Amino acid sequence: MLEPQQSSPPPPAAGPPARAEKSGRASRTLMGATTAAVVLGFVALALPAPFVVESPGPAINTLGSVDGTAVIRVQGHETFPTSGSLDLTTVYVSGGPEREVSTFEVLQGWLDPSQDVLPEEAVYRRGVSGEQVSEQNTQEMADSQSVAVAAALGNLGIAYEQKLSVAGLAAPTNEGVLGVGDVLASIGGTPITDLAMLREELQAAGDAPVALGIERGGEPRTVEAATTAGEDGQRQLGVYLQTTYDFPFQVSFDLDNVGGPSAGMMFALGVVDTLTPGELTGGRHFAGTGTIDADGNVGAIGGIAQKMAGARSLGAEYFLAPAENCAAVAGRIPDGLTVLKVATLAEARAAVEGVAAGKDAASLPACP
């Protein structure tokens, strides 16, 4: 009987199998490198970046209420019902001392036309803490509200008192002569009415000492104060000054979690509307932004593109923009929003009243 023969396995091939083995190792290496690159990419996107991202924030009607409480409350003076909207506008700011943004958030900001990405140092000074930023924003908001009331009362012809007091020493020029809390009442025997008047009198005195009437602890006294010339040539006392106001009635604002000075103009318009008969807006929907001083001058602000976007998303038809911001407005106006240029509270009021009365907005000063 013949046994079946067992055949020996063929010798290994010398060519193609070796190439396949090498190709497999290369594929595994490539896959590993790709995986590592992807992981490193995600890690890089998650890393903090030294930028700030500005995006549209909410708009709040100064004529309305928040959580059932009126934004503007007046005690001691007649108020009048009104309608329409005078929205103050806000910006969400991501990044900076309070919270770092990731590279991914920065990339998103660059791709989103409603957002702006700025170097952190263009927004915050180096070394400032989140707590300091929060305190500054809160103080600026409180100051803007007081100044807004002053501007509104001035616009309405309602008298009030303002006082300049020493907030701190900026130089040793008058150390021991002036102190924190001193109220500056007169210069050379003339009552001090405001900061501009004080600056004029200091400049007129040249390098000669000036006689300042002050109140310290409620007691009047006269001191002789020296001045120095600043970089711009303006004579200075070497002190930080703050303005306090004494209004004939109380105006308060109920608004949390919003900081900075940029709502000043809209607060002032809201106060004007609250204190005057009729509807300033004619029932229309206005929004706006801008700082304000006691004389009613409107100043530039940041984030105006985001504020316009936020206002339009909530139905605003007209937007009051500081004249100094018109260059930043160009090319960023949302569809359906008319942007009116204002430099003073009087101009802002006239624009609102004009539109409310049926005036063609195209005939009013506007940002391009």
Side-chain angles (χ1 to χ4, degrees):
M1 183 179 293
L2 298 176
E3 298 286 340
Q5 292 185 350
Q6 294 181 339
S7 60
S8 301
R19 286 196 297 272
E21 186 177 344
K22 184 183 293 185
S23 176
R25 286 199 300 268
S27 295
R28 289 192 295 273
T29 301
L30 179 59
M31 289 179 61
T34 302
T35 301
V38 170
V39 171
L40 288 174
F42 277 114
V43 170
L45 288 174
L47 289 175
F51 293 96
V52 167
V53 180
E54 296 181 338
S55 56
I60 301 166
N61 184 11
T62 60
L63 304 178
S65 60
V66 175
D67 295 330
T69 302
V71 174
I72 297 175
R73 290 176 293 171
V74 176
Q75 292 178 295
H77 192 281
E78 185 179 8
T79 60
F80 301 88
T82 188
S83 67
S85 295
L86 290 170
D87 293 353
L88 64 86
T89 49
T90 64
V91 175
Y92 283 125
V93 180
S94 303
E98 295 186 279
R99 185 185 78 82
E100 294 179 322
V101 291
S102 66
T103 303
F104 181 71
E105 290 174 291
V106 171
L107 292 175
Q108 281 186 313
W110 276 325
L111 295 173
D112 188 336
S114 71
Q115 298 184 358
D116 281 329
V117 177
L118 304 171
E120 184 177 330
E121 292 185 1
V123 181
Y124 302 105
R125 70 178 186 273
R126 186 187 295 271
V128 70
S129 68
E131 183 178 358
Q132 289 173 317
V133 170
S134 180
E135 289 177 353
Q136 179 179 342
N137 285 339
T138 300
Q139 186 59 52
E140 286 179 340
M141 171 57 81
D143 292 344
S144 74
Q145 292 171 348
S146 296
V147 176
V149 176
L153 298 196
N155 181 268
L156 295 171
I158 299 175
Y160 63 90
E161 293 183 2
Q162 59 178 311
K163 296 179 180 180
L164 290 176
S165 60
V166 177
L169 297 179
T173 310
N174 286 297
E175 189 172 1
V177 177
L178 295 173
V180 174
D182 286 350
V183 176
L184 307 188
S186 65
I187 179 169
T190 303
I192 296 173
T193 56
D194 54 32
L195 181 59
M197 177 268 184
L198 174 63
R199 289 168 60 89
E200 290 175 2
E201 293 296 323
L202 291 175
Q203 197 69 7
D207 58 3
V210 294
L212 288 178
I214 67 171
E215 295 177 10
R216 180 176 297 165
E219 297 294 327
R221 64 178 67 187
T222 301
V223 298
E224 186 176 89
T227 67
T228 58
E231 293 182 0
D232 59 355
Q234 171 66 48
R235 304 303 296 186
Q236 303 174 352
L237 293 169
V239 297
Y240 296 113
L241 295 175
Q242 64 181 4
T243 304
T244 56
Y245 301 95
D246 185 8
F247 300 123
F249 50 89
Q250 184 178 349
V251 180
S252 59
F253 302 85
D254 193 280
L255 192 63
D256 296 326
N257 301 319
V258 179
S262 66
M265 179 184 69
M266 299 310 294
F267 279 138
L269 282 173
V271 172
V272 169
D273 197 3
T274 301
L275 296 177
T276 53
E279 301 174 342
L280 189 71
T281 67
R284 308 299 291 268
H285 194 158
F286 290 84
T289 186
T291 64
I292 202 162
D293 65 20
D295 294 324
N297 298 305
V298 175
I301 51 79
I304 193 163
Q306 290 70 44
K307 292 177 178 180
M308 291 190 299
R312 182 57 187 151
S313 71
L314 293 176
E317 306 166 84
Y318 304 95
F319 192 94
L320 304 170
E324 295 177 17
N325 278 117
C326 276
V329 166
R332 305 293 295 273
I333 302 175
D335 290 340
L337 188 68
T338 299
V339 179
L340 303 174
K341 177 177 68 173
V342 298
T344 65
L345 177 60
E347 290 181 4
R349 180 181 177 182
V352 173
E353 290 179 325
V355 171
K359 190 173 185 178
D360 184 1
S363 67
L364 298 172
C367 288

